[in-house]
Amino acid sequence: FLSLPWEQKISASDISDAMSTEADRRAKEMGIKDAEFYTSDLESVTGNYNTVTCVDVAIHYPSEKMGEMVQHLCSLADDLLIISFAPKTWYYVFLKKIGELFPGPSKTTRAYLHEESFVVDELKKACPVRWYN
């Protein structure tokens, strides 16, 4: 449930048309009127927003593209950027190795893990004034 203490417009995108459509349906069901949901890849999102959230997306980007993605997200956020990523820890590396043993359409090997220090450095470069951990 999303509750905003002041009147704000919501703009959200997903690369999956089915997810964007479902989010739109749920927002209307909850009575959220001033919301826009659209299908787009992350690189194509434009504009300026008070708050930008990027949840469960970084796992799809290799490290060489992660810096560009962080820079792009920071350029969209006027006040706050919230981003999640899968840190490259022994635990996640181990889970990926287990996943490689099982064939199937949703391969865990396609999930990218990122060194936390790399992501933090990229955030500090892209959002030097407004950085928190």
Side-chain angles (χ1 to χ4, degrees):
F1 180 74
L2 176 63
S3 176
L4 299 173
W6 59 93
E7 192 169 318
Q8 293 288 319
K9 181 177 182 209
I10 297 169
S11 181
S13 70
D14 195 286
I15 199 164
S16 163
D17 189 52
M19 292 300 287
S20 297
T21 302
E22 178 65 12
D24 186 47
R25 183 192 68 74
R26 289 183 183 194
K28 287 177 180 162
E29 193 175 89
M30 294 170 53
I32 298 172
K33 294 178 177 75
D34 199 10
E36 172 192 18
F37 298 90
Y38 58 97
T39 304
S40 175
D41 64 347
L42 181 63
E43 294 90 341
S44 300
V45 175
T46 61
N48 287 89
Y49 306 91
N50 296 86
T51 301
V52 172
T53 60
C54 183
V55 180
D56 295 339
V57 175
I59 200 166
H60 302 290
Y61 283 83
S63 290
E64 58 270 10
K65 297 274 291 176
M66 185 67 170
E68 293 172 35
M69 185 186 83
V70 168
Q71 187 173 34
H72 180 62
L73 290 170
C74 284
S75 77
L76 300 172
D78 289 336
D79 298 321
L80 181 64
L81 168 63
I82 300 168
I83 184 171
S84 70
F85 67 97
K88 189 173 186 177
T89 63
W90 70 267
Y91 180 74
Y92 283 126
V93 170
F94 177 69
L95 286 178
K96 275 189 65 148
K97 292 290 183 193
I98 291 173
E100 291 171 1
L101 301 174
F102 301 95
S106 59
K107 300 278 292 172
T108 61
T109 54
R110 292 190 193 117
Y112 294 97
L113 305 176
H114 303 287
E115 296 283 349
E116 183 175 354
S117 60
F118 173 75
V119 176
V120 168
D121 288 346
E122 292 301 315
L123 282 166
K124 286 180 177 178
K125 282 192 290 190
C127 307
V129 178
R130 308 177 314 262
W131 190 86
Y132 310 93
N133 71 1

